[in-house]
Amino acid sequence: MVDLPLASVPSLADRLAGVMDIEGKIPRALEALGPLVGRDVAVVDAPGTGWLARIRDAGADPLVVAPGPLLRLPVPDGSLDAVVTLWTAFRGVGGADLAEADRALRPGGRLLVVHDYGRDDVSALRDPESPEYRAWSRRDGPFLRDGGFKIRVVHCFWTFGTLDEARDALGQLGERGTALAAVLRRPRLSWNVAVYHRWRGGVEPEVVPGAR
């Protein structure tokens, strides 16, 4: 959710971060697809979002990588079990970024890319033409057709303490937030998150009978 209009209002950004996925569904999904705990993991995330702390609270101890125009992982070849990017990277699928992830991953390693999925309340706050809501999740889109990814949709919420708190926060998000606040009837918003997941090289490793 880094591209909601929040950067100029840090206090509101912190407030919304505190209501996103309080059930912890996203860290659990990442662990199920990784796993991450006890593994060599890199997480690409923008500073100050709070998601890194949640991943650590779930038991993982990742290397933190700042996002940039191109994915750069400061590790030797074949040294990671998983690479996780949280909203800020893989804005679409670039061949150079995939190659960098594959370089850093061990055989059987996993690339997990988190983006919004849409078909929810939160999508009303953003441009309906956003690629997250259209091309990216389509069967013929860049992730599922060209990138060798599969998708898991995690059904989360933004959960506020009261309906008044929800309306107040949304009202600070501009015209779209005000419109959503006017029709809100409960103190939470549905929020669907996509985890695009891919084996190193886009090929699932063979399972050797009897191997763990």
Side-chain angles (χ1 to χ4, degrees), residues 65-144:
V65 179
L70 291 174
L71 182 65
R72 291 289 181 266
L73 301 168
V75 298
D77 294 357
S79 59
L80 296 176
D81 297 304
V83 174
V84 181
T85 72
L86 301 172
W87 290 280
T88 56
F90 282 95
R91 307 295 299 173
V93 178
D97 289 344
L98 283 180
E100 174 65 359
D102 286 344
R103 179 199 66 78
L105 288 169
R106 295 183 174 117
R110 300 280 270 161
L111 171 60
L112 310 177
V113 176
V114 178
H115 284 300
D116 281 12
Y117 179 76
R119 293 82 158 172
D120 57 16
D121 295 332
V122 169
S123 61
L125 299 172
R126 303 182 57 196
D127 182 352
E129 298 301 315
S130 296
E132 293 93 325
Y133 301 154
R134 298 179 69 82
W136 289 358
S137 60
R138 291 168 58 103
R139 289 180 181 270
D140 60 351
F143 283 98
L144 303 185

Side-chain angles (χ1 to χ4, degrees), residues 21-50:
D21 186 32
I22 62 175
E23 300 88 355
K25 291 183 177 181
I26 294 172
R28 289 200 299 272
L30 294 174
E31 176 62 21
L33 291 168
L36 308 184
V37 175
R39 305 298 179 97
D40 294 317
V41 178
V43 172
V44 182
D45 188 23
T49 66

